[in-house]
């Protein structure tokens, strides 16, 4: 668990970086662009990169063998580059240089994101992975909270200060991981990979495909809901923009608070069982949200929704890596991010079309419908599969 907390510091740096990036880079773009749609497109560059680069990097790290290990070389290259370009973003002097710094930062983050996450199953026994994932996501949530609280204050003082601070955090996180996690000593199954290159065809067994489909549909619901909720609160519930955004914070806060307990419950009662409980709970919450009349009830439901989302999200990644061998953790990490990134790209436009056709009242019905499809997929993941037969 000590090494899990240390690895969580790596995820903390990733999360605080992305949160600060998503929160404040749009203000820089707004100085040059009048189109919100174009700003939104530029802010999703990371998802497009993840579609193509993250699966490749993840698979590549499975087959890497150096004196530093399999994953660490990608951290040693990617993190310093990300820190450099992240620090340069507020010092842009034109739209072109801003986009160049953004693109280089996103490419650098893609180099080490999958290998960093793949370190968790590398050094953690299977029965402890949900606990570890809970700790890692808790650290990530703390990073996001700090980005929006302390980061907002620093941004008000000087626009470059939070970016420079996060760049330092990147480098400190790299030093902590490099000094404390030695793959050849700490990895459970570390060995030189001499087998032929892993193929996605062989990795995409039936349980994996069905589970990836479930992941896709529950991210469709969550990504779309989070992207459009503030508009829903203003248009459908009559809230102010501030009250609507603050209400959504209850969802994020409860997720952070529930991250570690969800991991503990997943270890005790089984990952699949907790995921199914989370999906069913969110379906119920989404349907209840269509009946909301008061802000208090809205925030209570969103808080409950964050708890159920933690049951799903904390147990999902350990579950997807359990459907393959120990030599494919990086590959499966890349596939996980590919599916979640694809849903992040297409979910807001799809739900936006439904809203254009039927009004904002359709938002949570559509989210619940997507969760129902995810539930059907999860129920089809057979527990008798050889890799996940121990699941309860």
């Amino acid at each position: 668990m000590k090494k899990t907390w240390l690895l969580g510091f790596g995820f903390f740096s990733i999360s605080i970086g992305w949160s600060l990036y998503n929160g404040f880079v749009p203000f820089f773009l707004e100085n040059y662009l009048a189109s919100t749609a174009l700003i939104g497109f530029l802010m999703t560059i990371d998802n497009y990169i993840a579609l193509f680069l993250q699966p490749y990097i993840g698979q590549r790290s499975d087959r890497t063998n150096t004196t530093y290990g399999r994953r660490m070389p990608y951290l040693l290259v990617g993190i310093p580059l990300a820190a450099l370009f992240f620090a340069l973003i507020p010092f842009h002097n034109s739209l072109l240089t801003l986009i160049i710094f953004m693109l280089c930062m996103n490419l650098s983050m893609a180099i080490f994101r999958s290998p960093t996450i793949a370190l968790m199953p590398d050094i953690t026994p299977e029965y402890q992975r949900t606990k570890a994932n809970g700790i890692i996501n808790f650290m990530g949530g703390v990073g996001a909270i700090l980005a929006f609280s302390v980061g907002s204050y620093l941004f008000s003082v000087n626009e470059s200060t939070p970016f420079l601070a996060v760049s330092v955090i990147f480098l400190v996180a790299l030093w902590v991981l490099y000094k404390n996690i030695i793959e050849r000593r700490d990895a459970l199954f570390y060995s030189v990979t001499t087998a032929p290159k892993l193929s996605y065809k062989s990795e995409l067994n039936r349980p994996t495909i069905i589970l990836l489909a479930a992941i896709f549909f529950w991210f469709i619901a969550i990504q779309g809901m989070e992207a459009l909720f503030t508009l829903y609160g203003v248009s459908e519930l009559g809230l102010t923009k501030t009250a609507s955004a603050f209400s959504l914070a209850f969802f994020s806060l409860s997720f952070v608070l529930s991250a570690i307990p969800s991991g503990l419950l997943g270890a005790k009662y089984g990952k699949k069982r907790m995921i199914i409980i989370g999906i069913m709970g969110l379906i119920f919450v989404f349907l209840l949200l269509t009946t909301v009349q008061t802000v208090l009830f809205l925030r209570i439901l969103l808080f409950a929704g964050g708890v159920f989302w933690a049951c799903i999200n904390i147990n999902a990644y350990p579950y997807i890596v359990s459907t393959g061998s120990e030599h494919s953790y990086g590959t499966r990490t890349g596939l996980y991010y590919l599916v979640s990134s694809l849903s992040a790209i297409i979910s807001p436009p799809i739900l936006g079309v439904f809203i254009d056709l039927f009004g904002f009242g359709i938002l949570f019905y559509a989210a619940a419908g997507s969760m129902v499809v995810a539930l059907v997929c999860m129920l089809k993941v057979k527990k008798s599969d050889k890799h996940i037969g121990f699941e309860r």
Side-chain angles (χ1 to χ4, degrees):
M1 286 297 102
K2 175 185 175 183
K3 293 194 181 298
T4 300
W5 282 100
L6 292 171
L7 182 58
F9 190 55
F11 197 68
F12 168 87
S13 69
I14 293 174
S15 181
I16 197 172
W18 280 127
S19 298
L20 196 75
Y21 179 89
N22 290 328
F24 300 112
V25 170
F27 294 129
F28 296 143
L29 290 170
E30 198 174 34
N31 293 328
Y32 301 101
L33 301 171
S35 170
T36 303
L38 185 54
I39 292 174
F41 170 75
L42 290 172
M43 290 301 297
T44 60
I45 289 174
D46 61 301
N47 291 309
Y48 291 96
I49 291 174
L51 287 179
F52 304 102
L53 192 56
Q54 301 245 74
Y56 171 77
I57 293 292
Q59 185 189 76
R60 185 80 179 178
S61 71
D62 284 333
R63 295 182 47 77
T64 298
N65 179 58
T66 71
T67 56
Y68 299 105
R70 287 185 296 194
R71 320 294 182 190
M72 193 59 67
Y74 298 90
L75 278 66
L76 292 172
V77 173
I79 293 179
L81 287 174
L84 170 63
F85 291 112
F86 202 86
L88 288 175
I89 285 175
F91 296 102
H92 65 276
N93 54 20
S94 67
L95 178 61
L96 178 61
T97 56
L98 175 58
I99 291 176
I100 289 174
F101 294 155
M102 289 171 60
L103 182 60
C104 290
M105 193 279 291
N106 277 277
L107 287 170
S108 302
M109 294 284 280
I111 291 174
F112 72 91
R113 189 175 184 182
S114 288
T116 301
I117 304 305
L119 270 173
M120 188 275 282
D122 279 349
I123 67 174
T124 308
E126 202 286 331
Y127 67 91
Q128 290 187 329
R129 286 177 190 159
T130 56
K131 300 177 189 177
N133 205 40
I135 292 170
I136 288 172
N137 277 272
F138 172 79
M139 293 286 284
V142 171
I145 291 170
L146 288 176
F148 291 122
S149 55
V150 179
S152 296
Y153 170 74
L154 293 176
F155 190 80
S156 67
V157 174
N158 188 296
E159 293 184 352
S160 65
T161 303
F163 288 86
L164 295 172
V166 169
S167 294
V168 172
I169 290 173
F170 278 165
L171 298 176
V172 172
L174 176 60
W175 182 83
V176 169
L177 294 176
Y178 178 73
K179 297 297 289 186
N180 291 280
I181 296 179
I182 301 173
E183 291 184 65
R184 290 179 177 272
R185 179 193 67 194
D186 300 324
L188 301 177
F189 303 103
Y190 191 88
S191 62
V192 179
T193 303
T194 57
K197 182 179 179 180
L198 289 168
S199 69
Y200 286 111
K201 183 177 180 180
S202 64
E203 288 301 316
L204 292 173
N205 52 46
R206 177 177 169 81
T208 301
I209 292 173
I210 298 174
L211 186 53
L212 286 172
I215 292 168
F216 174 78
F217 283 107
W218 71 53
F219 271 117
I220 284 284
I222 295 298
Q223 299 275 11
M225 184 276 290
E226 290 184 333
L228 300 171
F229 177 81
T230 52
L231 295 177
Y232 174 90
V234 172
S235 300
E236 189 71 13
L237 303 179
L239 302 177
T240 64
K241 294 178 181 178
T242 303
S244 185
F246 183 69
S247 296
L248 189 59
F250 282 78
F251 185 87
S252 301
L253 176 63
S254 65
F255 172 82
V256 173
L257 295 176
S258 304
I260 294 177
S262 295
L264 295 173
L265 290 171
K268 183 174 181 179
Y269 297 108
K271 296 182 284 292
K272 181 179 178 181
R273 180 176 296 175
M274 293 307 301
I275 290 171
I276 290 175
I277 290 173
I279 294 174
M280 294 177 67
L282 269 179
I283 292 171
F284 185 62
V285 167
F286 285 156
L287 292 176
L288 282 179
L289 280 166
T290 64
T291 68
V292 163
Q293 297 294 324
T294 67
V295 174
L296 176 62
F297 188 41
L298 169 69
R299 291 173 179 174
I300 289 173
L301 288 176
L302 288 172
F303 191 90
V307 175
F308 289 122
W309 176 230
C311 292
I312 299 170
N313 201 32
I314 297 305
N315 291 282
Y317 174 68
Y319 200 53
I320 194 70
V321 297
S322 74
T323 60
S325 72
E326 64 272 12
H327 300 297
S328 66
Y329 293 158
T331 302
R332 290 174 177 278
T333 302
L335 288 171
Y336 178 85
Y337 280 116
L338 183 150
V339 170
S340 61
S341 297
L342 181 62
S343 64
I345 290 170
I346 70 175
S347 178
I350 288 177
L351 293 186
V353 169
F354 278 103
I355 290 171
D356 288 341
L357 293 174
F358 303 106
F360 272 98
I362 197 66
L363 176 62
F364 287 110
Y365 286 112
S370 189
M371 279 293 180
V372 169
V373 178
L375 177 61
V376 171
C377 292
M378 278 304 303
L379 293 174
K380 288 182 177 293
V381 178
K382 300 301 182 182
K383 64 181 180 180
S384 60
D385 180 80
K386 65 179 181 178
H387 294 300
I388 53 176
F390 50 82
E391 282 298 332
R392 289 168 283 188

